[in-house]
């Protein structure tokens, strides 16, 4: 339509929508060209603060290790994670990468999708003290040394606190944005449902909610016009993984530079599943599956279980 005052029209379309709304009265606006229009802008902001601690031992006496701990907090208007969708529009159980109300971006300013409050990881390499020149079996002969000597182990460990997720407004509710339903709002902003992995919560599926799933929807309400709902206030599973490697090598008798090595790698040694906070069913009006995880974090080869690989290498 034609707007007498373009600046004011950007703030309040209802007052300057002539002639589009003249037939229907004030506070009515129609645009016959499109129902939604997505655009990118540099208006967003982000911040990250952290305490990072590292304990490191350089290689000596046959072993080395690194231990790292991070206490951090990341906040932004919108974000996405590598394991999520390409544009970050719909993930973490709801909307995280789009501004639902473009007139008030700060409604979406909250914990980032990748915000992990606590993270601990460690890596290590250790040569076992067996065989010629070692603490045990120092004087072993060639045959015995070929069995007990030149073994080493290595490992990677990672443990984090939970990642965020959301509850979508509903399947067919567009309170503020005709393209995006938005996330649900809280009935009481100071009251959140308890979260924490619950196995076999509904029809054999786990849930990030630690209380009765039938009562969880009571915490949420539909958005009013102009609202975008809460973002990333709820927390599900974090990461947990332990990977290890065992290596054995043999010196060939026909040359000091000739060596045969065998390696056995195991991913997710403990075979522990961790459920993906970005793959949850969080639409309250889907009663049969609401509040359940629909996937796990991949630990190896796209799967969540334990897997192994073997390799051999000849050096000369």
């Amino acid at each position: 339509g034609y707007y007498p005052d373009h600046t004011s029209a950007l703030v309040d379309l209802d007052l300057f929508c002539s002639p589009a709304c003249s037939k229907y009265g004030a506070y009515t606006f129609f645009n016959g060209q499109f129902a939604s229009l997505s655009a990118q802008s540099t208006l967003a902001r982000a911040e990250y603060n952290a305490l990072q601690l590292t304990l490191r031992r350089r290689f000596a006496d046959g072993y080395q290790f690194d231990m790292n701990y991070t206490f951090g907090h990341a906040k932004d208007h919108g974000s996405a994670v590598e394991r999520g969708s390409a544009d970050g529009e719909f993930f973490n159980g709801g909307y995280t990468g789009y501004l639902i109300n473009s007139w008030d971006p700060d409604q979406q300013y909250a914990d980032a999708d990748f915000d992990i409050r606590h993270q601990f990881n460690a890596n290590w390499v250790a040569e076992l003290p067996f065989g010629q020149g070692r603490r045990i079996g120092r004087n072993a002969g060639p045959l015995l040394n070929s069995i007990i000597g030149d073994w080493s182990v290595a490992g990677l460990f990672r443990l984090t606190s939970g990642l965020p997720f959301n509850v979508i407004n509903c399947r067919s509710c567009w309170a503020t944005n005709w393209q995006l339903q938005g996330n649900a709002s809280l009935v009481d902003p100071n009251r959140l449902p308890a979260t924490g992995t619950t196995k076999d919560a509904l029809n054999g599926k786990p849930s990030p909610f630690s209380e009765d799933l039938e009562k969880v929807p009571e915490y949420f309400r539909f958005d009013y016009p102009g609202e975008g709902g809460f973002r990333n206030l709820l927390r599900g599973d974090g990461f947990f993984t332990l990977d290890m490697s065992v290596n054995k090598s043999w010196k060939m008798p026909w040359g000091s530079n000739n060596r045969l090595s065998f390696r056995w790698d195991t991913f997710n040694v403990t075979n522990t599943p961790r459920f993906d906070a970005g793959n949850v069913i969080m639409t309250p009006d889907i009663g049969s599956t609401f509040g359940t995880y629909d996937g796990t974090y991949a630990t190896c080869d796209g799967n969540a279980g334990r897997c192994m690989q073997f390799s051999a290498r000849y050096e000369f």
Side-chain angles (χ1 to χ4, degrees):
Y2 169 72
Y3 307 115
D5 182 344
H6 290 275
T7 303
S8 299
L10 290 174
V11 177
D12 191 350
L13 290 172
D14 290 328
L15 298 181
F16 300 99
C17 59
S18 176
C21 70
S22 59
K23 180 180 178 181
Y24 301 96
Y27 306 105
T28 307
F29 174 74
F30 295 97
N31 190 310
Q33 297 183 24
F34 53 82
S36 63
L37 177 64
S38 301
Q40 292 184 330
S41 174
T42 56
L43 59 86
R45 74 179 193 271
E47 63 181 57
Y48 174 70
N49 297 285
L51 167 69
Q52 300 177 341
L53 303 175
T54 296
L55 176 63
R56 173 174 298 166
R57 187 187 194 279
R58 298 184 183 278
F59 188 81
D61 301 323
Y63 71 95
Q64 68 178 42
F65 65 81
D66 284 289
M67 300 174 64
N68 308 286
Y69 169 74
T70 300
F71 173 63
H73 192 191
K75 300 184 70 175
D76 57 26
H77 278 113
S79 51
V81 292
E82 291 182 355
R83 71 184 190 282
S85 58
D87 58 10
E89 174 188 338
F90 185 77
F91 193 56
N92 286 20
Y95 293 98
T96 58
Y98 273 47
L99 295 177
I100 305 302
N101 184 349
S102 56
W103 307 113
D104 188 4
D106 280 345
Q107 285 186 358
Q108 298 293 105
Y109 191 71
D111 294 346
D113 291 9
F114 49 83
D115 177 57
I116 298 176
R117 206 55 46 83
H118 303 278
Q119 178 173 199
F120 175 80
N121 65 75
N123 62 81
W124 62 91
V125 176
E127 297 176 345
L128 299 187
F130 306 109
Q132 292 178 355
R134 305 296 174 89
R135 223 169 9 209
I136 302 174
R138 180 184 301 273
N139 299 317
L143 179 60
L144 179 60
N145 187 68
S146 67
I147 300 174
I148 67 172
D150 297 311
W151 286 90
S152 66
V153 295
L156 291 169
F157 175 78
R158 186 183 184 192
L159 175 66
T160 76
S161 56
L163 280 99
F165 70 92
N166 302 288
V167 174
I168 196 171
N169 194 20
C170 78
R171 284 177 294 182
S172 302
C173 302
W174 290 271
T176 301
N177 186 309
W178 185 245
Q179 178 191 8
L180 312 173
Q181 299 99 320
N183 298 325
S185 293
L186 292 169
V187 174
D188 181 350
N190 299 314
R191 185 169 173 261
L192 288 171
T195 56
T197 301
T198 303
K199 295 185 178 180
D200 196 17
L202 181 67
N203 300 326
K205 285 192 172 185
S207 169
F209 294 107
S210 57
E211 46 187 293
D212 190 346
L213 284 181
E214 294 183 357
K215 298 180 180 179
V216 170
E218 298 176 2
Y219 289 86
F220 313 115
R221 63 167 175 82
F222 294 153
D223 294 337
Y224 299 130
E227 292 184 324
F230 71 85
R231 175 172 174 253
N232 290 346
L233 289 179
L234 303 171
R235 295 281 170 159
D237 269 4
F239 295 105
F240 171 84
T241 182
L242 174 62
D243 305 328
M244 294 194 69
S245 175
V246 178
N247 187 80
K248 174 72 172 80
S249 63
W250 295 268
K251 296 178 182 178
M252 298 294 101
W254 49 82
S256 59
N257 294 326
N258 288 256
R259 180 183 294 267
L260 175 65
S261 299
F262 170 78
R263 182 167 174 168
W264 172 22
D265 300 321
T266 304
F267 303 93
N268 192 8
V269 173
T270 59
N271 198 30
T272 302
R274 300 290 276 187
F275 299 101
D276 189 353
N279 197 351
V280 293
I281 301 173
M282 287 298 160
T283 308
D285 52 348
I286 303 180
S288 61
T289 55
F290 168 74
T292 59
Y293 285 109
D294 201 34
T296 55
Y297 297 124
T299 54
C300 60
D301 194 27
N303 300 306
R306 180 193 301 119
C307 62
M308 304 178 186
Q309 66 181 21
F310 303 89
S311 63
R313 176 177 177 175
Y314 186 80
E315 301 176 9
F316 59 92

